[in-house]
Amino acid sequence: MCIRDSYVGGDFTVSGANATANLAAFDTTTGNNTSWTPDPDNEVHVLALDGSTLYVGGEFANIGGAGLSTLAAISVSTGLATAWVPPTPNAAVKAMKISGNRLLVGGEFVTLGATPRNGAASFSLTTGLLEAWNPDLGAAPVVVNFGLVTGGIYIGGQSFWNTIGPEGSFTLVDSTTGAPL
């Protein structure tokens, strides 16, 4: 893999000349898909590239030769899972955004490992540890997007309820604490 590659995730079983499932890399010079095959076993919803690491979110249970469920870091060189292993979300990951040395993750989950997090969380890109940022989005939110502004983070999705009442499709929260702004 090299910097000129473009990555595509989704729900597919074959892509171009090289058979692959749900996640592929394309050479942006030739347009051909490459032999890079992390092979997630189910749908990929979102990708975030940081240097030589591709963060992948979706509905898979295995990816990059490892039993990683819904969230993983994949080497763009090898297609294998890296040593970055955060607490596992209990449901689909549908949104990611890199902000400095952290990865914002959103989706349909209500726990990460044993820690409650309703639809949104933040991880250290260095360690994979869950950070304290915890917006109160209610019991069953579905986060599908993040937008960064100075001191805040817009969160887009469905079924939000935070401490200031029903928010419908988006809310603005503090980028450090997750408190409503």
Side-chain angles (χ1 to χ4, degrees):
M1 301 307 318
C2 64
I3 197 69
R4 72 175 188 269
D5 292 336
S6 182
Y7 304 93
V8 178
D11 184 11
F12 53 84
T13 54
V14 177
S15 174
N18 297 309
T20 189
N22 306 315
L23 182 58
F26 290 86
D27 183 308
T28 57
T29 301
T30 67
N32 296 326
N33 70 322
T34 70
S35 60
W36 184 76
T37 55
D39 290 326
D41 62 0
N42 206 340
E43 191 170 355
V44 170
H45 293 298
V46 63
L47 305 170
L49 182 62
D50 185 42
S52 62
T53 302
L54 183 67
Y55 295 91
V56 182
E59 299 183 38
F60 48 84
N62 296 285
I63 187 171
L68 298 172
S69 181
T70 69
L71 180 61
I74 303 299
S75 165
V76 297
S77 299
T78 66
L80 298 175
T82 71
W84 188 88
V85 180
T88 301
N90 71 322
V93 170
K94 296 191 170 221
M96 286 192 289
K97 185 79 162 183
I98 294 172
S99 175
N101 192 37
R102 68 197 289 210
L103 179 67
L104 303 172
V105 175
E108 299 175 348
F109 54 84
V110 295
T111 61
L112 297 162
T115 305
R117 287 289 194 281
N118 289 340
S122 176
F123 296 96
S124 164
L125 285 175
T126 305
T127 65
L129 294 176
L130 182 62
E131 296 179 334
W133 185 75
N134 186 14
D136 180 11
L137 300 176
V142 178
V143 173
V144 297
N145 206 351
F146 294 105
L148 305 176
V149 296
T150 302
I153 299 170
Y154 279 102
I155 302 173
Q158 304 167 349
S159 305
F160 293 175
W161 182 274
N162 64 28
T163 56
I164 59 171
E167 293 296 304
S169 61
F170 73 94
T171 189
L172 176 63
V173 298
D174 184 272
S175 61
T176 303
T177 65
L181 293 176

